Amino acid sequence: MVGAGIYVVTERIGDGAGWPIFDADNGEELMHQQPAVAIVLGHRPPESPGTLYISTRQIVWLSDTDRSKGYAVDFTSVSLHAVSRDPESYPSPCIYTQIDTGAESYEVEDSDSEGDDALDLSKITEMRLVPSDPNQLDILFSIFCECAELNPDPTEEDENGHDWVFNAGQFENEDSDDEDSELTFNRSAINSIGVNGNHDLAHSVVQLRIDDQQFEDAEEVEQDDSNAHN
């Protein structure tokens, strides 16, 4: 693992555009190769299409026209991935990812206004992968899910004892069809509310359930009193 966040890839093997170097000695394997994929870092303009490589440990994008241009991110730094088909969110259907840079949120600034030469990858917290063929999105999403499960977050432990685990289905809009949903979330990406640091929400959920139970108990007491008077 190189580190948190997106990093530059400059080394390749093979002729032509080449392909990335994987750590085969330690079990890293190529899972999927997808040509004609544009990469979008943050809200910057998309790079010209290149080739996407998904291994058991990382996501690598290599430019087809510039051997010195490439980006990669380890799956342990991908905090969420989803399929986005809503043109209001992004003009083209894509795989949307959120990237953990290892920095505090107040340290990550908007780098959209920076020029290409000034690109600071440590501030990029979103990445989109836009295949020229949108029909490949479901396949890519499935592979992302499979590889994400192979790379669990080592810090993902519930230190506060909360065991409230919610999957993506519980967060989807019940009034819309799956095909019309903007995002298809990775079900393994949404973890315990306590783990994600949303302690207030976790407390609210617990309190709500307690209040509901107390309300039900109060109704039973009132009913018993009414029967006794009758």
Side-chain angles (χ1 to χ4, degrees):
M1 180 186 301
V2 175
I6 303 171
Y7 51 92
V8 173
V9 175
T10 57
E11 296 184 1
R12 309 186 188 193
I13 57 175
D15 299 328
W19 56 89
I21 301 173
F22 296 121
D23 190 3
D25 292 340
N26 288 314
E28 184 178 11
E29 300 178 4
L30 177 64
M31 298 290 286
H32 187 75
Q33 177 178 337
Q34 185 67 45
V37 176
I39 188 171
V40 182
L41 302 177
H43 297 285
R44 298 167 62 85
E47 301 279 358
S48 58
T51 302
L52 178 68
Y53 300 86
I54 305 175
S55 80
T56 51
R57 295 186 182 176
Q58 60 182 318
I59 304 154
V60 182
W61 178 90
L62 299 180
S63 170
D64 290 340
T65 58
D66 186 350
R67 272 187 78 102
S68 66
K69 180 173 287 188
Y71 303 102
V73 61
D74 294 328
F75 271 104
T76 52
S77 292
V78 179
S79 58
L80 179 146
H81 66 269
V83 172
S84 175
R85 293 187 173 93
D86 184 358
E88 294 185 1
S89 176
Y90 192 76
S92 302
C94 62
I95 295 289
Y96 167 80
T97 65
Q98 290 183 359
I99 308 299
D100 179 7
T101 65
E104 297 294 338
S105 57
Y106 62 82
E107 296 176 348
V108 179
E109 302 175 359
D110 188 355
S111 60
D112 296 348
S113 60
E114 298 176 355
D116 290 340
D117 294 337
L119 174 61
D120 186 351
L121 292 177
S122 67
K123 296 179 181 179
I124 299 297
T125 59
E126 295 181 326
M127 177 179 74
R128 290 177 172 85
L129 299 167
V130 188
S132 59
D133 180 6
N135 293 324
Q136 299 300 312
L137 283 174
D138 289 337
I139 295 175
L140 291 174
F141 178 75
S142 177
I143 296 170
F144 264 67
C145 291
E146 181 180 353
C147 293
E149 292 177 357
L150 297 175
N151 296 272
D153 186 348
T155 64
E156 193 176 280
E157 295 181 0
D158 190 353
E159 299 176 355
N160 299 289
H162 296 304
D163 58 355
W164 305 93
V165 179
F166 296 82
N167 62 36
Q170 293 168 282
F171 286 86
E172 293 174 355
N173 186 346
E174 295 179 356
D175 296 330
S176 62
D177 296 331
D178 290 341
E179 294 181 355
D180 296 330
S181 298
E182 172 188 345
L183 298 179
T184 301
F185 286 96
N186 169 20
R187 294 181 179 274
S188 65
I190 301 178
N191 305 300
S192 167
I193 289 179
V195 171
N196 287 342
N198 226 337
H199 304 296
D200 291 339
L201 181 55
H203 180 269
S204 298
V205 173
V206 175
Q207 189 63 45
L208 177 61
R209 294 201 173 190
I210 292 175
D211 290 344
D212 286 346
Q213 184 61 47
Q214 290 175 340
F215 182 75
E216 292 175 0
D217 292 343
E219 283 188 333
E220 292 177 0
V221 171
E222 290 178 359
Q223 184 67 32
D224 291 342
D225 289 343
S226 176
N227 292 338
H229 288 304
N230 293 334

